[in-house]
Amino acid sequence: MELIEKVFKLKEHGTSVRTEIVAGLTTFLTMAYIIFVNPSILGEAGMPKGSVFVATCLIAALGTLIMGLYANYPIALAPGMGLNAYFAFVVVGQMGYSWQTALGAVFISGCLFLLVTLTGLRELIVRGIPASIRVAITVGIGMFLALIALKSAGIVAASPATYVTLGDLHTAPVVLSTLGFLVIVSLDRLGVRGAILIGILVVTVLSFFFGGNKFQGVFSAPPSIEPTLFKLDIWGALKGGILNVVLVFFLVELFDATGTLMGVAKRAGLLKEGKMNRLNRALLADSGAIFAGSLLGTSSTTAYVESAAGVQAGGRTGLTALTVSVMFLACLVIAPLAGSVPAYATAPALFYVACLMLRELTELDWGEVTEAVPAVITALVMPFTYSIANGLAFGFISYAAIKLCTGRARDVHVMVWIIAAIFLFKFIYIGGH
């Protein structure tokens, strides 16, 4: 107990071992869906689902452990939603790069993130990006996830005449995923912990009876991680001309991590004069987890906003994170269950996360068109071009152009001009994807 007190300073934070463990279990239940969703999404990129499952559990455990022991914050890490979809459906599926090259891009973005954190450039970049664009990134990724979820559920289908149309609503995937969504929303509204996880499991169980799915058991030894371990292609990423992919990974990781860390810390009352005393330590844990995850075989790792559930339950220190870490390690023995989860069972989880991300729209200043319009362009282009990168590009370019045309060029931070110029150069000389 003395060691725990010395490491986590429980008395100083007004908490106890029991409270921290309960908070950790609460956080874990709210984010455990990622161990089913991440293999499902990255499997679409041709990655071995069993290996991705192991990589997901390991990097969530490792990243969260570092966050708990090094930064002493009650914040959990795991592969991020949105970027895993961008990795699988855009970088690999649409742009045609191998998943090994995509992992190389994740590694490079993690190194950049670590570099800007160590040098202090992170604060300059974060301060330089307009708040409206930051909001738009979250909203756009939410819309992108929503489109992927509706497609996975079979509710949205391709159409040669209108590009997208309504799918066949009489199929089992559509009915079961709709039911799963209602379960998730209802349970979450009623305050049930782990609502998203329960929804995924309900649909998975029903799929054995009505969807032709086959039960493969629950427990087994973990699958081999060898098929994805150290399989990243860094040289391929460097020579493959995917600067914009690295830039997207980097920018989204940067804002997602910073925003989540500040938001959860604020809710926990851990901000002093509006600042996190150990923010750099937290960001180092986050950036370290990004490139460690790329080595293991998964897309970008980030801080999870679901950590706020554990904070609500009383979590205030790294002991909460340590509890989450242990739970992710324990999940390594449920690989057969993870392999039995169909895409339409994780679709309701994706769609609900997307719905929650769209509430950020209320943060926009709709009275100032030079801020609102570029933000809306950013958000809309992401799903309509099936690319987070294109959304960011159009957003930064339009922001700079509109400010310039309205005589407000002085309001634009130099960082926006730099990023807009990079994307414009890419479109003109390299082409768009």
Side-chain angles (χ1 to χ4, degrees):
M1 288 296 289
E2 286 184 15
L3 179 62
I4 292 176
E5 176 60 39
K6 184 179 179 181
V7 173
F8 299 111
K9 300 179 173 61
L10 302 181
K11 290 179 182 176
E12 181 183 319
H13 291 89
T15 184
S16 66
V17 172
R18 182 183 179 279
T19 299
E20 294 292 300
I21 291 175
V22 169
L25 291 173
T26 302
T27 294
F28 172 75
L29 285 173
T30 60
M31 63 180 289
Y33 64 86
I34 194 61
I35 65 175
F36 302 115
V37 176
N38 204 45
S40 174
I41 291 177
L42 296 188
E44 296 292 323
M47 297 186 71
K49 289 185 179 181
S51 299
V52 174
F53 167 77
V54 175
T56 302
C57 292
L58 287 178
I59 198 57
L62 177 63
T64 305
L65 180 67
I66 296 171
M67 180 67 75
L69 295 179
Y70 182 58
N72 196 24
Y73 280 124
I75 296 170
L77 305 177
M81 295 291 288
L83 282 179
N84 52 5
Y86 176 66
F87 180 108
F89 298 108
V90 179
V91 181
V92 177
Q94 192 180 60
M95 299 172 73
Y97 292 105
S98 69
W99 59 262
Q100 292 91 339
T101 301
L103 284 177
V106 172
F107 179 86
I108 295 167
S109 71
C111 292
L112 282 175
F113 194 7
L114 182 61
L115 182 66
V116 300
T117 301
L118 289 171
T119 58
L121 282 173
R122 179 199 58 80
E123 289 187 24
L124 178 67
I125 296 172
V126 171
R127 281 202 307 267
I129 306 303
S132 58
I133 296 295
R134 276 182 263 171
V135 167
I137 290 171
T138 302
V139 174
I141 290 174
M143 295 172 69
F144 182 55
L145 284 180
L147 181 59
I148 290 169
L150 292 172
K151 180 173 174 284
S152 296
I155 296 172
V156 164
S159 165
T162 60
Y163 296 111
V164 291
T165 189
L166 190 66
D168 183 358
L169 301 184
H170 299 91
T171 62
V174 172
V175 175
L176 292 177
S177 59
T178 302
L179 177 64
F181 182 72
L182 291 174
V183 168
I184 289 171
V185 177
S186 301
L187 291 180
D188 194 48
R189 179 63 184 86
L190 294 170
V192 176
R193 303 296 184 197
I196 293 177
L197 180 62
I198 293 170
I200 291 174
L201 293 176
V202 166
V203 176
T204 300
V205 170
L206 291 176
S207 73
F208 299 132
F209 299 97
F210 306 106
N213 195 8
K214 292 184 179 179
F215 183 62
Q216 301 170 24
V218 177
F219 301 104
S220 76
S224 171
I225 196 175
E226 194 276 332
T228 60
L229 184 66
F230 302 131
K231 295 299 188 294
L232 69 166
D233 184 2
I234 300 171
W235 177 241
L238 288 171
K239 71 177 183 180
I242 53 175
L243 171 66
N244 63 315
V245 173
V246 174
L247 189 61
V248 169
F249 280 138
F250 172 72
L251 287 176
V252 177
E253 287 157 3
L254 186 69
F255 298 131
D256 196 25
T258 307
T260 300
L261 290 169
M262 295 292 286
V264 174
K266 182 178 180 181
R267 189 172 297 190
L270 297 173
L271 294 184
K272 294 184 179 178
E273 298 179 0
K275 296 181 178 180
M276 288 176 71
N277 285 344
R278 302 180 300 281
L279 177 60
N280 257 24
R281 286 193 172 202
L283 285 167
L284 282 172
D286 199 83
S287 56
I290 291 169
F291 63 76
S294 69
L295 297 175
L296 291 172
T298 182
S299 53
S300 301
T301 303
T302 190
Y304 259 58
V305 72
E306 283 85 349
S307 302
V311 165
Q312 194 70 29
R316 294 294 181 271
T317 74
L319 185 55
T320 295
L322 179 61
T323 304
V324 176
S325 178
V326 171
M327 293 305 297
F328 271 114
L329 281 179
C331 284
L332 284 170
V333 296
I334 61 167
L337 178 61
S340 300
V341 178
Y344 59 81
T346 58
L350 283 178
F351 195 66
Y352 187 51
V353 170
C355 291
L356 297 180
M357 292 174 83
L358 261 63
R359 63 186 172 191
E360 296 287 325
L361 277 169
T362 58
E363 301 295 322
L364 284 179
D365 180 5
W366 293 98
E368 179 51 74
V369 294
T370 62
E371 295 288 335
V373 171
V376 171
I377 289 172
T378 304
L380 289 178
V381 171
M382 286 186 190
F384 288 143
T385 64
Y386 218 65
S387 170
I388 296 173
N390 289 339
L392 283 174
F394 276 72
F396 277 103
I397 293 170
S398 64
Y399 186 91
I402 290 172
K403 289 289 187 181
L404 182 64
C405 292
T406 54
R408 302 189 178 199
R410 290 183 179 179
D411 296 344
V412 182
H413 194 280
V414 65
M415 197 55 64
V416 175
W417 292 114
I418 292 171
I419 295 173
I422 291 171
F423 278 126
L424 194 60
F425 175 84
K426 186 259 176 186
F427 281 138
I428 294 172
Y429 294 103
I430 304 174
H433 280 284

